[in-house]
Amino acid sequence: MTDAKTAYPARYYASYDNTASQPTPVTGWYDTWAMSSVSAVPSASSMIAISADDWNNTASFRLPAGRGVLSGKIIDYSVPVEPVPLTTQATTALAVGRQTVWNEYGSINEATPDVWVTYLKDLAAIANGTDTASKTLPTAPS
């Protein structure tokens, strides 16, 4: 059995993904001396030691989310929001557009206006990858 006080001399630690580019989120908080087993705890050298004051500060330091690691320091952290790919946006807009056309025209057996046909074809081309030049979605007809 590993002696926690020897293996983890600082007692309190924050873990994070050492292979990720930084900043990266804190993935765990450990009071290693209070644990019955440290067999599943990352090594002390792969974590950041934190002070007792920081450990006890659950109002603004040791939080369940919103904390990250940058250059060996604990920082405020928000997960970067990845932009939704244009093809995904087009697929969603195409489904909405088709439903709108059906509700407004198809369900009452009226011809679909050309502006709607053009709009749906443009969306389909983006969604299926035929149109790779567009950087934004076409504007929906009013």
Side-chain angles (χ1 to χ4, degrees):
M1 183 169 158
T2 302
D3 175 42
K5 290 183 180 183
T6 302
Y8 301 93
R11 182 174 180 170
Y12 305 109
Y13 292 88
S15 63
Y16 63 101
D17 182 351
N18 300 62
T19 63
S21 60
Q22 292 188 11
T24 189
V26 169
T27 56
W29 300 101
Y30 298 94
D31 176 352
T32 56
W33 295 3
M35 299 176 76
S36 60
S37 171
V38 291
S39 61
V41 177
S43 67
S45 62
S46 68
M47 296 190 292
I48 296 174
I50 59 175
S51 70
D53 286 342
D54 285 340
W55 176 264
N56 291 318
N57 180 354
T58 57
S60 63
F61 186 85
R62 187 171 53 101
L63 303 172
R67 302 300 281 162
V69 175
L70 179 62
S71 302
K73 304 278 187 223
I74 306 294
I75 61 166
D76 289 333
Y77 178 79
S78 296
V79 177
V81 177
E82 295 293 323
V84 177
L86 191 61
T87 54
T88 303
Q89 293 176 45
T91 300
T92 301
L94 183 59
V96 171
R98 286 177 173 159
Q99 186 63 52
T100 300
V101 166
W102 171 253
N103 290 346
E104 297 295 322
Y105 306 104
S107 66
I108 57 173
N109 202 28
E110 292 218 3
T112 304
D114 288 342
V115 294
W116 273 102
V117 172
T118 300
Y119 172 70
L120 293 176
K121 285 182 177 181
D122 289 349
L123 287 175
I126 295 169
N128 68 25
T130 307
D131 175 357
T132 58
S134 292
K135 301 297 179 205
T136 60
L137 295 180
T139 302
S142 51

